[in-house]
Amino acid sequence: MPYFIKILWTWFPVFFLSFAICANGQDNLLKPVPGSPSSEIYDLLVDSKGFLWVAHNAGISKYDGIRFTNFSNPLQSSLSTTGLVEDKYGRIWFSNFTGQIFYIENGHMTLLNAYKSTDENYFPRIGLLGDQIIATSRKGVFVCDTRTLKCHYEKSTSPSADGTSSLCIVGAKALLYGSEKWYIYSPERGLGPAYFKGNNATKDIKTSSSTLCTLPFHDTVFWFSNPAGIVYKLLLSGDTVKLCGKKIFKSFINTISIQKTGYTINTTSASIRGNSSFSSITGYDLSSIVSDHEGRMWYASLQHGLLMDSAYNNRPEYFPVVHLPKKDIIKSIAQAGNSIFLATSAGNLWAYDIVEKRKSLLMSLPENHGGINYIKILNNHLLWVGSSHHTFLYDLNNHVLRWFELIRSVKQIDTTENAILLATSDGLCAVARDTTSDFHNWASGFLTRFKGFYELKDSLNRCLIIKKRNRAVCYMRSDKTIWIALKDGLFKINAKGFTQMLYKGAPVFTSCLTSYHDKLIAGTFTNGVLVIGKNSVTVLNADNGLLSNNVKQVMLFGNDLWILSGNSVQIFDAPTLKLINKYSLPDIYAMTVTDGIESNGMCYLVSVNGLYGIKQRVREPDSLNVFLNSLIINKKDTGILNNIRLPYTDNNIQISLGTPYLSGAKNIIIKYRLKGINPGKWNYSQPGERDFHFASLMPGYYQFEAFAIKPQTGLSSRMFTIDFLIKPPWWEVWWFRAIIIIIFLFIIVTIIRDHYNKRLHEQTSRYEKALIAETERQHISREIHDHIGQSLSVIKMNLNIGTPQLVTEAKNLLNDVIYDLRQFTYGLYYGKLLNGNLQDVLTKDIERLNLTNEINATLHASWTDGILNERDELAIYRIFQEAISNILKHAKANNIVVTLKSNHKFFQLTIADDGLGFNKSDIRRGLGLTNMEKRAQTIGGRLSIKSSPGNGSIIGLIMYHINNKI
C-alpha cells in the first residue's frame, strides 16, 4: 500500500496537467525564445534561406537560431513594422505604421521613396505578385517592379473608384478592397473593378473594419471584420467575388496565418487551427504562425514576444538506460552476449541485461584499490579489470576475483594467436592465452617472433615484459606486428626488433589504437586519426570532417568507426572514412561522452551520470547553409561585399555569419580559416559563435573561407568566401620600389662613373705631365736652336771674314749669346719669357743683322702694345728667329724685309727675302719648319710660306680675334 501511494503521489501532477491541457483543447505549451527583440510582435516570415524575420513594435529583426540581428534606417518615421514579404531576389519588404515601405538587401535597410506615405491615410498592405511588389493606396494601387525597382501608381478605370486598404494575392491577380468597393489588379490589365455577390456580408461590415488576408489558402480568400469578429470565406472567379461562408468569433480577430497544411485564425483569446481537428492554442494573443525549413513552428505574440513549440524542442534524442548512485561515474564499458558490463570510479562492476532491461551489481574491488578504469572480456567469461594501481581477473562464470600480481594498472588489452598483450603503466606485458601450456616453450616461440621482451615472474604468474610505460597496444595479424603507444611516439615490434613509426619525419604521439582488417587505426593528440596501411597512411582530421584533431578514443563495431574527441561522438564508415548518420547522436555540448558500444541496432553511450541508449533510425536528409549577416569594416557596416581594399594602418574586420538552422542552431559549428600568404589553419567556432574578428593584418590578398557543419551527421554547407586586400604602405608599393631601384642604380652608376673618371683623370694627368715635359724639352731645343744657334751662326760668319771690325762684332755678339743664355736659364727658373716687348726684341735683332754688312735688314712696324700675352709674343719671336736662321743658312739673300702689324682684331708678321727661293714640293721638312708650324698652331695662328726658285720667299703669320686671347 505505501508503494502504491508513492506512485500515485509521483504521477498525480502529471495526470492533472495533462487533463488541464486536454480540457482547454490545447495541443502543447509554447515557450519564449531567449533574447526576443520585443514582447509585441506583429508578423513573422521564414525566408528562402531559412532565416526567421520578425516584425515588431521596435523595428525588424532577423533570427538565425542563436541571436537576433536588428535593422534600422535613419529616415524611418515609425519603429513598428508589419507586412513581411520576400521577393525572388532575396529582398525582404515591409512597411511601418506611418506608411513607409522599406526593403532589406545585403544587410541594409532602404526606404522606397517612390511610395508617398505622407499622402496616405493608413499604412499599406503589401503583397508579391510575380515580379511586382504591390501595395494598397488611396490613389489605387502602388506597383514596384522588383527587377528594376521602377515604381508607379495604378488608378482604376472606374470614375467612382476610391482607394484600397487591403489585398489578397490570388494566383496571377490581386484582389483589393477599400471603402466598401472591390478591385482586381493584374500586370496585363491594370486596376479594374470587381463584383461582390453576398448581400448578407454588406450588412455586417457597415459598422466594422474589414481586412483581407494577404494570402489565400488554396483558392479560398479570407476576409475578416472587427469588432464584429466575423471571418468570411470568399472565392474569386474572373472578376466576381463570391461569399462561400462565414464564422463568428467572440474575440477580436488579430490575423489569419496561412500554412501549407492549413490555416490558423488568431484572436485575442485563442488561435484556432482550421484543419480537420480544429484544435486551438489559448492564452497567447498570437498574431502570426510560421513553419521553418525543419518543420518547427514559430509563433508571434502581441504580449509574449516570439514563442516556439516546447514539445518539439524537448523531443528526446537519447534516453537513460542505467543511472548510478551519486558520486559514482562509469569509466569503462564492455559487452558479452546480452550483457553490458559497466566499470565505475567507485570500484564497482555492474551488469546490464539489454533484453530484460535490468542491472545488477556483480562485485566491488577490495577497499584501498581505487576505482576501475578499464575492463576487457576474453573468452566470454574472463574479465580483465584495471584499477588505478593493480590488475585483476574476474571469472564471470564462478564470480571469483583474482589479483594478477605482476601487472599494474592495465590500460588496454589485445591478443595474438597465443598471447594476451597488456599495455600498462609498468610496460608492455605478454601472457600466454593457454595457462596450461608449458611456459618455456611458449616464451621461446614468442621471443622468436617479437624481440625485446624478457621474463618477469612471481609465485603465481609468469609473463614477458618490455619495461617501457605505454598507454595503448594493438596486434596486426596480417603482418605479425605488435604496435604500442609510448610517451615518445608510436612503435612496432616484430622479429626484426623495435622500430619507431614516423609521419612526415616526426614522431606520432598516440592516444589509442585499434585495427580494421590489415590497417592500423591510431588516434593521436594533434594529427587526428591515422589509418596506417602496409605502404600508405591516410589521415582523418579537422580538414576532412573530424571535429577535433585531439582524439580520446577510437572503437570499431563492424564497419562503424567510432571516434570520441572533445565532447563529441562521430561515427565514420571504416572502409571509406565518410561520416554516417546512423543515430540521432546528442548535441556536442549536451553530454560528455567517455565511452560507448553498439549492439543490436542500439547505440549505448557512457556519460558521467549514467548509460544512455539511442535507437537506430533513418532520418530525412537535412539542408544546411551559411550566409553573411554583416560585414563590419573599421567598426562601420559599409555593405561592401566585393573589391574590399583596406589600408594597412586600419584593417579591422568583423565577419558575422548566420546559419538558418533554427531548430538546433547551437549544434551547428563553423569551420573557418583565413587564407593569406600561407594557406591558413582550419579552426572551429565555439557554441553559438558566429562573429570572426581579424585586425592588424599584414599587407596582402586574403580570403576568408567558412563552412557550417552539423557534427553528428557530417552535414556540411557549401563554402562561404570573402576576398579582400590589405594595401601595402607607400614605401612598399611597386612605384616606390621602382624609384628606390632607380636611385640605387643611379648611385651605383655614379660611383662607377666617378671611379672611371678618376682613373681617366689620373691617366690624363700623367699624360699631360708627360706632354708638358715633352713640350719643355721641345721648347728648350727650339730656344737653343733658334736663338743661340742663330747667334753662333752669325759669329762664325764674322770670324770667317776675319776683319777687325767683324771680329769685334763677333766678340760683342758672343757676349750677347752669353747674356741670352743667362736670360734663357733665368727665364726657365723664374718664368721670364722676353726681355722687352715683341717690337723691341725684333728691332734689336734687325740691328744685329745689319752690322755684318752682308745683309740689309729692314723692319716696318705698326704695333699696338699689350694686345698679346707674353707666351704668344715668345712663340711669334721664335717663329721670327727660325725664319731668319733659315734665310742666313740657305737663301743667300741680300735683303730682308720684316713687317709687323697689329691691332685689337688681328696680328700679322711677314718676313720676305730676295734669296734663291725654293720649290715647296721638293723641300725636306726639317726641325725648324716643323717648329714654326707647331708654334703657330699653339697660339691659334696660321703660317703661310710662299716661294719659288729664283724669286725669294715670303713667310707670313696671321692671327684673328686678338681680344679673346688677352
Side-chain angles (χ1 to χ4, degrees):
M1 190 66 178
Y3 179 76
F4 174 76
I5 294 174
K6 182 178 180 180
I7 293 296
L8 184 61
W9 179 259
T10 301
W11 288 99
F12 177 77
V14 178
F15 293 145
F16 179 80
L17 180 61
S18 301
F19 176 80
I21 293 175
C22 294
N24 287 325
Q26 185 164 325
D27 290 335
N28 50 16
L29 296 176
L30 307 182
K31 70 173 186 177
V33 176
S36 181
S38 173
S39 60
E40 187 175 348
I41 297 177
Y42 307 117
D43 199 6
L44 298 177
L45 170 71
V46 176
D47 67 14
S48 56
K49 297 176 182 177
F51 291 105
L52 177 65
W53 291 86
V54 183
H56 49 87
N57 67 339
I60 185 166
S61 305
K62 181 175 71 172
Y63 183 58
D64 61 0
I66 294 178
R67 65 181 180 184
F68 293 87
T69 303
N70 302 315
F71 299 87
S72 63
N73 185 291
L75 299 178
Q76 62 191 114
S77 56
S78 172
L79 294 178
S80 300
T81 58
T82 188
L84 293 168
V85 177
E86 181 187 17
D87 65 22
K88 70 178 184 179
Y89 302 102
R91 301 187 194 96
I92 305 299
W93 298 78
F94 57 94
S95 65
N96 62 11
F97 282 12
T98 55
Q100 293 175 306
I101 297 179
F102 298 88
Y103 64 87
I104 296 176
E105 183 177 24
N106 294 330
H108 280 265
M109 178 174 163
T110 305
L111 172 65
L112 190 66
N113 290 309
Y115 185 81
K116 305 301 181 183
S117 60
T118 54
D119 297 339
E120 304 294 335
N121 297 327
Y122 309 101
F123 68 84
R125 305 289 180 170
I126 302 174
L128 178 66
L129 182 62
D131 287 323
Q132 292 182 343
I133 288 289
I134 63 173
T136 58
S137 171
R138 61 189 296 270
K139 300 177 183 178
V141 64
F142 174 81
V143 180
C144 177
D145 191 324
T146 59
R147 296 167 298 183
T148 63
L149 295 182
K150 293 183 177 179
C151 306
H152 67 280
Y153 285 92
E154 289 276 352
K155 296 183 179 180
S156 175
T157 56
S158 174
S160 61
D162 295 320
T164 58
S165 58
S166 63
L167 59 83
C168 180
I169 306 298
V170 187
K173 297 182 290 186
L175 175 66
L176 298 103
Y177 174 80
S179 301
E180 302 183 16
K181 295 181 180 179
W182 297 87
Y183 306 91
I184 292 178
Y185 169 78
S186 67
E188 296 80 14
R189 296 186 178 182
L191 184 65
Y195 305 97
F196 183 80
K197 289 186 177 181
N199 294 329
N200 293 334
T202 305
K203 187 185 219 178
D204 295 333
I205 66 172
K206 283 185 177 180
T207 59
S208 300
S209 174
S210 300
T211 304
L212 286 169
C213 180
T214 307
L215 296 175
F217 180 67
H218 301 313
D219 58 350
T220 302
V221 178
F222 294 97
W223 181 39
F224 59 94
S225 299
N226 284 310
I230 303 175
V231 175
Y232 298 95
K233 292 183 178 180
L234 311 176
L235 288 178
L236 178 62
S237 177
D239 57 358
T240 302
V241 182
K242 298 179 181 179
L243 177 63
C244 300
K246 71 175 183 178
K247 185 173 181 64
I248 301 175
F249 296 88
K250 296 180 180 179
S251 303
F252 185 90
I253 300 172
N254 294 329
T255 58
I256 299 177
S257 299
I258 306 297
Q259 294 92 36
K260 291 181 180 180
T261 58
Y263 60 91
T264 304
I265 300 172
N266 303 307
T267 71
T268 55
S269 60
S271 293
I272 297 91
R273 294 175 179 171
N275 50 26
S276 58
S277 63
F278 275 94
S279 58
S280 64
I281 303 174
T282 61
Y284 291 103
D285 198 7
L286 300 181
S287 58
S288 180
I289 304 174
V290 294
S291 173
D292 64 20
H293 292 179
E294 290 79 48
R296 182 171 190 168
M297 303 303 294
W298 300 84
Y299 305 85
S301 169
L302 297 176
Q303 298 182 25
H304 307 288
L306 182 63
L307 306 171
M308 58 183 173
D309 189 345
S310 60
Y312 184 99
N313 189 53
N314 293 328
R315 195 183 316 167
E317 297 288 351
Y318 50 91
F319 55 89
V321 174
V322 175
H323 277 302
L324 298 180
K326 291 182 179 181
K327 298 183 180 180
D328 200 4
I329 299 172
I330 300 174
K331 302 290 288 186
S332 184
I333 184 173
Q335 182 184 13
N338 292 329
S339 295
I340 295 177
F341 299 94
L342 308 174
T344 75
S345 61
N348 298 319
L349 180 65
W350 295 83
Y352 174 75
D353 191 308
I354 59 178
V355 176
E356 297 182 5
K357 295 182 173 47
R358 61 180 179 84
K359 70 174 181 177
S360 59
L361 179 64
L362 296 182
M363 65 91 180
S364 297
L365 290 182
E367 293 184 4
N368 302 324
H369 280 276
I372 302 175
N373 297 322
Y374 178 81
I375 57 174
K376 175 79 173 183
I377 298 177
L378 297 179
N379 302 326
N380 289 325
H381 72 91
L382 190 62
L383 183 69
W384 287 79
V385 179
S387 73
S388 302
H389 302 287
H390 300 97
T391 298
F392 300 87
L393 291 174
Y394 181 73
D395 192 323
L396 295 172
N397 294 332
N398 301 320
H399 302 285
V400 175
L401 181 68
R402 183 166 64 90
W403 178 26
F404 199 93
E405 296 182 37
L406 295 179
I407 301 172
R408 290 197 314 151
S409 186
V410 64
K411 301 179 183 301
Q412 187 175 358
I413 297 177
D414 203 358
T415 60
T416 70
E417 290 79 4
N418 60 358
I420 301 173
L421 303 173
L422 302 98
T424 75
S425 56
D426 284 336
L428 177 63
C429 300
V431 179
R433 294 185 67 172
D434 185 2
T435 57
T436 62
S437 63
D438 181 71
F439 177 79
H440 289 289
N441 290 336
W442 171 83
S444 177
F446 187 87
L447 291 174
T448 302
R449 296 169 56 193
F450 308 105
K451 292 185 178 180
F453 288 84
Y454 64 91
E455 184 179 350
L456 181 70
K457 63 181 179 179
D458 65 1
S459 59
L460 298 177
N461 305 290
R462 303 178 73 179
C463 69
L464 301 176
I465 192 169
I466 294 177
K467 275 283 189 177
K468 289 182 178 291
R469 181 185 181 94
N470 61 98
R471 63 176 65 93
V473 62
C474 183
Y475 176 65
M476 299 296 297
R477 286 172 170 76
S478 58
D479 59 355
K480 312 296 183 183
T481 301
I482 299 173
W483 291 84
I484 60 173
L486 304 181
K487 64 179 181 178
D488 49 352
L490 180 64
F491 292 80
K492 63 180 180 180
I493 308 170
N494 52 27
K496 296 180 180 180
F498 205 74
T499 307
Q500 185 173 17
M501 160 73 182
L502 299 178
Y503 177 65
K504 294 183 178 180
V508 179
F509 298 104
T510 311
S511 58
C512 48
L513 296 171
T514 189
S515 62
Y516 178 75
H517 297 323
D518 59 345
K519 296 179 180 179
L520 177 74
I521 300 177
T524 72
F525 292 107
T526 57
N527 293 322
V529 175
L530 300 184
V531 181
I532 304 171
K534 185 176 181 180
N535 299 312
S536 64
V537 177
T538 304
V539 182
L540 178 62
N541 56 22
D543 290 339
N544 48 26
L546 201 62
L547 273 180
S548 173
N549 288 334
N550 183 359
V551 177
K552 295 192 301 185
Q553 183 65 282
V554 291
M555 301 171 291
L556 265 169
F557 303 102
N559 288 331
D560 295 348
L561 175 62
W562 286 43
I563 299 178
L564 278 62
S565 57
N567 290 333
S568 67
V569 181
Q570 292 177 283
I571 302 178
F572 290 81
D573 180 58
T576 63
L577 297 181
K578 300 294 184 182
L579 268 168
I580 55 178
N581 184 18
K582 194 173 184 179
Y583 301 98
S584 299
L585 296 172
D587 297 348
I588 308 173
Y589 306 99
M591 178 189 297
T592 300
V593 179
T594 58
D595 207 344
I597 201 168
E598 189 175 1
S599 177
N600 299 328
M602 283 286 294
C603 162
Y604 295 95
L605 299 178
V606 174
S607 182
V608 293
N609 55 352
L611 180 68
Y612 292 83
I614 303 175
K615 294 181 180 180
Q616 183 177 340
R617 64 172 182 165
V618 178
R619 298 190 62 186
E620 293 295 327
D622 294 321
S623 61
L624 188 62
N625 289 298
V626 58
F627 300 98
L628 180 69
N629 274 341
S630 62
L631 179 61
I632 309 298
I633 298 176
N634 299 327
K635 300 182 180 180
K636 184 182 296 184
D637 189 356
T638 61
I640 301 174
L641 297 179
N642 299 304
N643 195 27
I644 303 173
R645 302 171 66 89
L646 302 174
Y648 80 100
T649 55
D650 199 5
N651 55 66
N652 191 318
I653 300 174
Q654 181 174 312
I655 301 170
S656 177
L657 301 180
T659 54
Y661 199 80
L662 303 180
S663 301
K666 288 187 177 180
N667 298 330
I668 307 302
I669 62 173
I670 302 296
K671 176 182 176 182
Y672 67 96
R673 69 176 177 181
L674 184 65
K675 291 172 59 178
I677 301 174
N678 300 317
K681 180 182 178 182
W682 286 106
N683 300 290
Y684 290 87
S685 66
Q686 295 298 317
E689 182 184 7
R690 295 295 183 266
D691 292 339
F692 307 97
H693 186 209
F694 306 98
S696 301
L697 297 172
M698 297 296 292
Y701 286 95
Y702 291 89
Q703 184 177 64
F704 174 78
E705 297 179 342
F707 295 91
I709 298 176
K710 189 175 183 181
Q712 296 88 344
T713 63
L715 183 68
S716 176
S717 71
R718 69 182 188 280
M719 185 169 67
F720 172 84
T721 61
I722 293 179
D723 299 318
F724 57 91
L725 168 67
I726 305 299
K727 295 185 292 185
W730 59 268
W731 60 83
E732 290 186 7
V733 296
W734 69 267
W735 55 265
F736 181 79
R737 291 181 175 178
I739 291 174
I740 292 299
I741 291 173
I742 291 172
I743 293 175
F744 177 76
L745 292 176
F746 176 78
I747 293 173
I748 295 298
V749 170
T750 302
I751 292 173
I752 294 174
R753 186 188 64 182
D754 289 346
H755 173 71
Y756 281 103
N757 284 342
K758 184 178 180 181
R759 291 184 60 185
L760 180 61
H761 177 73
E762 291 174 352
Q763 293 176 356
T764 303
S765 179
R766 289 195 299 268
Y767 173 76
E768 289 178 348
K769 290 178 180 179
L771 183 61
I772 290 171
E774 179 64 23
T775 303
E776 288 300 321
R777 287 195 298 270
Q778 292 178 0
H779 169 67
I780 294 170
S781 174
R782 286 193 297 267
E783 288 294 329
I784 295 173
H785 174 272
D786 295 345
H787 186 64
I788 298 175
Q790 177 190 352
S791 298
L792 292 175
S793 297
V794 174
I795 294 172
K796 179 182 178 182
M797 184 178 62
N798 289 341
L799 291 175
N800 287 334
I801 296 175
T803 63
Q805 184 180 0
L806 292 179
V807 172
T808 301
E809 183 62 30
K811 291 179 180 180
N812 294 332
L813 188 59
L814 184 58
N815 289 330
D816 291 339
V817 170
I818 293 171
Y819 174 79
D820 289 341
L821 185 58
R822 289 175 177 173
Q823 288 294 108
F824 175 70
T825 56
Y826 179 83
L828 288 177
Y829 187 79
Y830 293 104
K832 183 69 176 174
L833 301 179
L834 287 179
N835 188 17
N837 61 32
L838 181 60
Q839 183 177 349
D840 295 339
V841 175
L842 294 182
T843 302
K844 186 175 181 182
D845 283 1
I846 291 298
E847 290 177 351
R848 289 175 183 170
L849 289 175
N850 289 328
L851 291 175
T852 62
N853 295 322
E854 295 291 328
I855 293 178
N856 181 25
T858 306
L859 174 63
H860 300 287
S862 178
W863 171 258
T864 301
D865 191 15
I867 64 171
L868 295 175
N869 58 45
E870 291 184 356
R871 291 188 178 276
D872 289 350
E873 289 183 353
L874 178 60
I876 294 170
Y877 177 64
R878 298 306 182 205
I879 293 172
F880 165 78
Q881 286 182 319
E882 183 66 32
I884 296 298
S885 177
N886 288 336
I887 292 172
L888 294 177
K889 289 180 180 179
H890 309 293
K892 297 181 180 181
N894 296 319
N895 297 292
I896 298 174
V897 178
V898 179
T899 304
L900 181 63
K901 294 181 180 181
S902 69
N903 57 35
H904 291 285
K905 293 184 179 180
F906 75 97
F907 168 85
Q908 184 177 9
L909 173 66
T910 304
I911 304 169
D913 69 83
D914 57 357
L916 298 175
F918 59 89
N919 190 341
K920 290 194 294 182
S921 60
D922 295 336
I923 192 170
R924 183 173 61 87
R925 302 180 68 84
L927 180 60
L929 188 57
T930 301
N931 286 341
M932 293 169 63
E933 291 178 344
K934 285 185 176 181
R935 291 182 190 275
Q937 292 174 1
T938 301
I939 63 177
R942 187 178 64 198
L943 185 70
S944 63
I945 301 173
K946 295 181 180 180
S947 181
S948 61
N951 295 321
S953 60
I954 302 173
I955 297 174
L957 173 65
I958 189 168
M959 296 168 58
Y960 294 98
H961 306 293
I962 302 302
N963 288 337
N964 295 334
K965 295 177 67 63
I966 296 176

